[in-house]
Amino acid sequence: TRLATAAAATEVAASAANPTGVELDLPVDPNEPTYCLCNQVSYGEMVACDNPNCKIEWFHFGCVGLKEQPKGKWYCPDCATVKNRRKGR
């Protein structure tokens, strides 16, 4: 039916815009800083990249595939790539 198709399309669009699946029912302050690969506000558990020059700095666990706080130093996907590239020189 058209209604089911429209609902499915809306759900797909919503999941693409919110890859973590976390629904934010709070009003978002336009001045609130955004973080992570998803460019959303701070919510839930987050981890900081240990590169002091990281452009993003804070990441939601779900967006970077973490379920718990990593032990030791942790680098975001972008900084880990740069770090490994320099290491290989």
Side-chain angles (χ1 to χ4, degrees):
T1 67
R2 282 189 210 166
L3 185 56
T5 304
T10 302
E11 187 174 318
V12 168
S15 66
N18 187 2
T20 60
V22 175
E23 291 295 322
L24 299 176
D25 290 334
L26 303 172
V28 177
D29 178 350
N31 298 318
E32 180 81 19
T34 57
Y35 304 93
C36 194
L37 302 170
C38 67
N39 199 35
Q40 291 188 26
V41 297
S42 172
Y43 64 83
E45 292 186 287
M46 297 184 74
V47 61
C49 178
D50 282 306
N51 177 0
N53 299 317
C54 181
K55 292 177 183 170
I56 300 175
E57 192 176 3
W58 286 95
F59 299 83
H60 304 106
F61 276 23
C63 294
V64 291
L66 295 174
K67 293 187 191 308
E68 59 186 41
Q69 186 70 32
K71 292 178 170 62
K73 293 192 180 273
W74 180 85
Y75 295 91
C76 73
D78 289 343
C79 293
T81 300
V82 171
K83 186 175 193 266
N84 288 337
R85 199 176 309 142
R86 286 185 184 157
K87 194 183 228 183
R89 284 185 162 180

